[in-house]
């Protein structure tokens, strides 16, 4: 009976989306509170988490009733019953706002990073039309609405699943569209680092899109629609696919782990920090078209996992400066205890080694330089020597890369114990404009200003 009720509930969920809508459209994201974006989501939808859970609970109860009804009256009765999605599918992060979505919210379980080059002859007007099409589609998908004319069916039955789509411009975009005079100084090419083994074909690009969702079909659907809409104007230059832990996979919300097994993201700037906005977002100065925007540094960093896995747990923890089990700093306390870089052990050694990753990367070691890291793991199979082609799609967000990624990576390049286990294989730097209001499109101030 329990199994029957579960199946009936699923049928009901599948049948819930009305015409022009995908399932579970209007609920707020359960992720939003984690990243301080709850106000954004709540203002937009005015729906509380309690309501979300209440709806899901009611759906469960309705499923039980419907299960009984299916036995008595057949499948039609089940299909017509009102339905609601479970939390993950129904979670919505609004596309419109001061900042683009996909920066301050926690990274989703599935991610696509994709760069496009403009087609020969595609000018500023064509680029503006593309950004207008893309923004409209991203807004519809993020709200759980099916874009007109989309007959792919890829994400039918699923809710928006915290979908975010974030758009950025590479340095080359400005020359190709006659906008060189508007190119921000912050888009100067990144310096060369000794750990770089960059594949130029998988680096840079005129346009960059980051897609994240907690459902893989929802994420792919967005990717496919944007790629189809680019036809004639822009071609995919490179694409990378990543993942994180699925929401609900752990007994309570925890910091995610990377493929080396470490908790990764603990000491990120938090949206509740007083200096979060000034570190991550470009200030509104003199009508700058980048106001409210951010700069994304994207690095495909392969992990030399075979070498890493040979290290003892103690050595691995020393390389990072934190305990693997719970992310606590080796200077003591729990995961969230502030790191004490000055602590000396009884034997006279530093509790956090001189070349420990968290010492070398810390703002205290880099004149306050900080960035928001929002990464996805990747695994693209195994290389000829049997080693995993796996690592981190590192995405760092900052108001100015010269006060974020660049000084920190310079320092890591010289003295980080972790760098022996990493290869930077691809790189990009993108100007990601602020968000837009309904009826507008991302980048409008640049393209029409
Ligand atoms: C240039 C910036 C950074 C790169 C590149 C980078 C790569 C990288 N990092 C890890 C794993 C961890 N990093 C951690 C902390 C941390 N990393 C950076 C910067 C870069 N990391 C910063 C600024 C910090 C925070 C330092 C601090 O203030 O304490 C941690 C510890 C947990 C955490 O705070 O997130 C881990 C683990 C990998 C595996 C990696 C490349 C693949
Ligand atoms: Fe790091």
């Amino acid at each position: 009976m329990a199994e029957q009720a579960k199946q009936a509930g699923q049928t009901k969920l599948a049948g819930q989306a009305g015409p022009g809508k995908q399932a579970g459209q209007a609920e707020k994201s359960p992720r939003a509170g984690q990243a301080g974006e709850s106000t954004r989501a709540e203002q937009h939808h005015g729906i509380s988490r309690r309501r979300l859970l209440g709806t899901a609970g009611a759906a469960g109860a309705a499923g039980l009733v419907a299960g009984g009804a299916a036995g008595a009256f057949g499948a039609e009765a089940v299909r017509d019953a009102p339905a609601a999605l479970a939390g993950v599918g129904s979670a919505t992060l609004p596309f419109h706002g001061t900042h683009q979505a996909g920066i301050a919210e926690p990274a989703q379980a599935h991610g696509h990073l994709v760069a496009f080059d403009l087609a020969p002859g595609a000018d500023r007007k064509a680029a503006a039309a593309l950004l207008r099409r893309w923004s409209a589609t991203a807004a519809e998908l993020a709200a759980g609405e099916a874009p007109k004319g989309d007959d792919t069916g890829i994400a039918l039955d699923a809710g928006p699943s915290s979908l975010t789509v974030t758009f950025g411009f590479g340095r080359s975009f400005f020359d190709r569209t006659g906008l060189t005079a508007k190119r921000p100084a912050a888009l100067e090419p990144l310096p060369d680092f000794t750990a770089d083994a960059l594949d130029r074909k998988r680096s840079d690009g005129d346009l960059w899109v980051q897609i994240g969702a907690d459902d893989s079909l929802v994420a792919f659907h967005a990717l496919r629609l944007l790629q189809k809409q680019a036809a004639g104007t822009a071609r995919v230059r490179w694409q990378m696919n990543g993942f994180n832990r699925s929401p609900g996979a752990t007994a309570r919300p925890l910091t995610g782990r990377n493929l080396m097994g470490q908790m990764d993201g603990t000491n990120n700037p938090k949206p509740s920090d007083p200096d979060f906005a000034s570190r991550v977002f470009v200030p509104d100065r003199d009508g700058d078209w980048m106001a409210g925007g951010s700069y994304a540094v994207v690095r495909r960093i392969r992990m030399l996992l075979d070498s890493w896995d040979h290290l003892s747990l103690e050595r691995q923890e020393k390389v990072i400066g934190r305990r693997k089990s719970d992310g606590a700093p080796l200077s003591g306390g729990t995961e969230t205890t502030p790191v004490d870089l000055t602590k000396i052990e009884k034997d006279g050694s530093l509790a956090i080694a001189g070349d420990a990753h968290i010492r070398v990367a810390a703002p205290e070691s880099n004149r306050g330089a900080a960035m928001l890291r929002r990464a996805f793991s990747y695994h693209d199979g195994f290389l000829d020597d049997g080693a995993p082609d796996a690592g981190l799609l590192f995405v760092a967000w900052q108001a100015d890369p010269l006060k974020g990624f660049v000084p920190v990576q310079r320092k890591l390049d010289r003295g980080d114990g972790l760098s022996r286990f990493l290869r930077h294989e691809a790189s990009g730097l993108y100007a990601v404009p602020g968000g837009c209001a309904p009826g507008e499109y991302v980048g409008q101030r640049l393209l029409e200003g």
Side-chain angles (χ1 to χ4, degrees), residues 258 264 320 357-358 361 373 392 394 412 416 418 422:
N258 61 39
D264 198 342
I320 295 296
H357 183 67
I358 61 166
R373 294 164 286 128
L392 204 63
F394 177 89
L412 289 173
D416 177 22
L418 182 62
L422 306 176

Side-chain angles (χ1 to χ4, degrees), residues 379-394:
H379 177 221
D380 288 342
F382 295 88
L383 301 171
D384 288 346
D385 63 359
D389 185 5
L392 204 63
L393 302 178
F394 177 89

Side-chain angles (χ1 to χ4, degrees), residues 159-227:
S161 311
S162 297
L163 175 76
T164 59
V165 182
T166 320
F167 301 107
F169 302 110
R171 183 178 164 80
S172 51
F173 178 85
F174 296 82
D175 296 334
R176 301 241 158 95
T177 51
L179 290 165
T180 312
K182 288 199 180 176
R183 184 168 63 210
L187 272 191
E188 276 304 296
L190 297 174
D192 294 331
F193 302 103
T194 58
D196 286 358
L198 302 183
D199 175 357
R200 286 290 158 201
K201 287 198 223 85
R202 290 195 294 184
S203 300
D204 305 320
D206 296 340
L207 291 156
W208 175 71
V209 186
Q210 174 195 249
I211 295 166
D214 283 330
D215 177 79
S216 54
L217 289 174
V218 168
F220 176 79
H221 183 222
L223 174 67
R224 174 68 178 137
L225 291 191
L226 298 185
Q227 179 251 341

Side-chain angles (χ1 to χ4, degrees), residues 8 24 53 69 105 112 126 138 154 209 250 254 264 273 285 303 322 348 382 410 444:
L53 295 174
E105 304 86 358
H112 298 296
I154 298 165
V209 186
T250 52
L254 288 171
D264 198 342
D273 294 347
R285 241 185 254 132
M303 295 171 167
R322 285 183 179 272
F382 295 88
R410 271 212 177 103
Q444 190 162 354

